[in-house]
Amino acid sequence: MTQSAPILQTSLKNFSPQANELSVGDISISKIDKLTGSTPFYAYDRQLIINRVTQLLTSLPKQISVHYAIKANPYPSLVQLMAEHVSGFDVASKKEMLLAIQTGIPVNNISFAGPGKSVDDIEGAIIAGVTLHVESVGEIAKVEVAARALNLKANIAIRVNPKFELKSSGMKMSGGAKPFGIDEEEVPRVLKNLPLEYIKLRGFHIFAGSQNLNAKAIISAQQQTFALAQQLVALSTQVTGVKIDYLNIGGGFGVPYFANEQPLDVALIADNLQTLIQQYASLVDGLELILELGRYLVAEAGIYVCKVVDKKLSRGTTYLVCDGGLHHHLANSGNFGQVIRKNYPLAIGNKLNNKELEQVNIVGPLCTPLDILADKIQLPKANLGDYVVVFQSGAYGASASPKDFLSQPNLREILL
Ligand SMILES: Cc1ncc(COP(=O)(O)O)c(C=O)c1O
């Protein structure tokens, strides 16, 4: 199976190889191994994250605020770093909300989305002053009850499930029947019945999908988002008399993981946003326009590192058995939404320039055939103690994996 050469080359360059070995923040992975105490670990490169956010902010129109979706990577030091570079956070649980608040970012710039929020979640958000993205009529009723009991006003934005979908997305989250948001056609009725005594309607959240590498598809969704938002804002002003000051247009910016995937053309999207801002000037005036991104900001800044602990030959196939795998990196094992498993870009992190190659299958220590790190991959010949490094691992890694499966030792994380 071929590795995705362009992504691999970028990754190798990003993690500035010192001679034969990868490094993160100028520390070689063998030193990070000693620093953290052992493999497996995730290491995140602070400067790569800063570069990514800075480049993005430079290319986007100044009217756009970028919020970081903490679910992509909730490692506390990374979230703290993000707080210095983005305007706000999107959280998906009370734990993420507490993390966000403690970074010192203004609570006004924190939103709490996701279906099935508990009373405890809702009360927490109301007390903190965080904006609840309400996902159903039932949730609005719960918010009203909680706000009344607390004698506080809840800030909400209505998450809308639009009729359109974000085409060619890794995960579609709008169009058709969805657990997310209130169907577009239901919103007028919901607006009429909003309990405004206890609820302050800030605006709308329209999140159509995630992991999209097709700029044209994102542009099309954004065009439809602005058109829909214009209708909704006009209607809500008419029905509730409330001035809307908040529009979250979602995100969906993807990163390339596999062979034949190309990086997203953000410049095209930025140009189109500029056009939309001009076209919808009266809508945008006085409105906070939010782009909500997770993996695009962090995925390429993280690597997962584990060590070869056994090497064996089985009927002609060479296996590298490592001390890490599916339980730390579910996405790389192919079990986090992929239909057909493909290899992430990978390297033997301490043998970058070794010329002798070998085709191997790389597996983890779990007693299940699902525990795959790489399938039929050509890499420099590796032995016990060598490092297997998985690139594009800064998002949906540690926190999206079943760490307790088979009660293996804990992994470590570090931001350098
Ligand atoms: C509401 C919401 N916001 C943000 C994200 C982050 O998506 P991504 O990390 O692909 O940018 C998701 C992903 O599922 C989401 O559901």
Side-chain angles (χ1 to χ4, degrees), residues 69 71-72 90 113 159 173 205 207 210-211 253 292-295 396:
K71 63 172 67 118
D90 177 62
R159 177 162 179 187
M173 298 181 74
H205 176 217
F207 188 92
S210 131
Q211 180 46 18
F253 291 19
E292 179 182 326
L293 300 173
R295 80 181 77 219
Y396 304 107

Side-chain angles (χ1 to χ4, degrees), residues 168-245:
S168 40
S169 261
M171 281 189 209
K172 293 197 172 84
M173 298 181 74
S174 74
K178 287 284 177 299
F180 316 110
I182 295 174
D183 295 345
E184 173 185 332
E185 56 280 19
E186 292 296 316
V187 175
R189 195 172 52 84
V190 168
L191 285 172
K192 281 197 191 98
N193 295 318
L194 264 190
L196 292 173
E197 196 184 340
Y198 286 102
I199 284 183
K200 176 174 187 306
L201 176 65
R202 291 194 64 197
F204 299 94
H205 176 217
I206 305 173
F207 188 92
S210 131
Q211 180 46 18
N212 201 305
L213 291 169
N214 182 340
K216 289 199 176 120
I218 293 182
I219 286 172
S220 162
Q222 287 177 344
Q223 283 163 340
Q224 296 176 81
T225 299
F226 272 73
L228 175 59
Q230 188 167 47
Q231 285 174 31
L232 295 176
V233 169
L235 185 69
S236 62
T237 311
Q238 191 192 328
V239 174
T240 64
V242 174
K243 169 101 184 73
I244 297 300
D245 64 1

Side-chain angles (χ1 to χ4, degrees), residues 47-126:
Q47 197 54 50
L48 288 178
I49 295 174
I50 296 172
N51 294 350
R52 172 51 67 99
V53 181
T54 314
Q55 276 161 15
L56 177 68
L57 293 177
T58 312
S59 64
L60 289 173
K62 63 176 183 338
Q63 293 88 341
I64 303 274
S65 302
V66 170
H67 285 200
Y68 173 56
I70 290 183
K71 63 172 67 118
N73 189 331
Y75 184 57
S77 310
L78 183 150
V79 175
Q80 185 65 52
L81 171 71
M82 265 317 170
E84 294 157 28
H85 297 276
V86 297
S87 311
F89 287 131
D90 177 62
V91 303
S93 64
K94 192 171 178 191
K95 193 169 172 190
E96 285 189 1
M97 183 182 85
L98 292 173
L99 186 60
I101 292 170
Q102 288 172 89
T103 64
I105 211 153
V107 286
N108 229 10
N109 299 345
I110 303 174
S111 56
F112 189 158
K117 294 180 201 75
S118 67
V119 171
D120 183 52
D121 293 335
I122 292 170
E123 286 182 346
I126 297 172

